[in-house]
Amino acid sequence: MTADTSRDRVAGAAAEAARGVPGVAFLRPGVADLLRTRITDRTQRRAPLTGNRTPGVRVGRDEGGGWRLDIRLVLRRGHRALDVTRAVRTAVLAALPEEPAASVRITVTGVV
């Protein structure tokens, strides 16, 4: 399994777990994700895009070889950010049981 395939699988599992947590409205794509989408929509690419393809989730490796996940999300009104972020962290870590130890950083970017 290539690094990109493994990274995409981890990002997809983390995104699915995070979206399933009550209080999460949606995952928020970053600027790079938005630009990638605009470029893909307007041009036909000869080579596939590399890197993470899951908006709202960035995946990398830490010094110890474990996964480092950065998740950006928007909350639903009426939910406490602390409770939702703890639940998202728990859900994401549970979705990756066979992977090396992962660190998860969650950023709440808004409330709807």
Side-chain angles (χ1 to χ4, degrees):
M1 181 179 295
T2 66
D4 279 343
T5 303
S6 181
R7 180 173 291 156
D8 290 342
R9 187 173 47 80
V10 168
E16 185 176 333
R19 285 186 199 109
V21 173
V24 174
F26 57 91
L27 299 181
R28 178 163 179 126
V31 172
D33 297 322
L34 295 172
L35 290 174
R36 182 181 299 120
T37 302
R38 301 281 291 177
I39 291 169
T40 303
D41 289 346
R42 292 180 183 216
T43 63
Q44 185 173 5
R45 309 254 332 152
R46 291 189 177 101
L49 291 170
T50 59
N52 184 18
R53 293 170 194 86
T54 307
V57 179
R58 290 201 169 199
V59 178
R61 290 282 191 178
D62 61 14
E63 298 82 27
W67 291 111
R68 185 181 65 246
L69 290 93
D70 184 15
I71 301 172
R72 298 170 52 94
L73 56 89
V74 175
L75 295 178
R76 292 190 186 278
R77 192 169 308 279
H79 293 271
R80 285 184 37 183
L82 179 63
D83 296 336
V84 174
T85 56
R86 284 181 178 167
V88 167
R89 182 182 316 274
T90 301
V92 167
L93 290 174
L96 309 172
E98 75 281 353
E99 299 298 331
S103 65
V104 180
R105 182 175 67 178
I106 300 166
T107 306
V108 176
T109 61
V111 178
V112 294

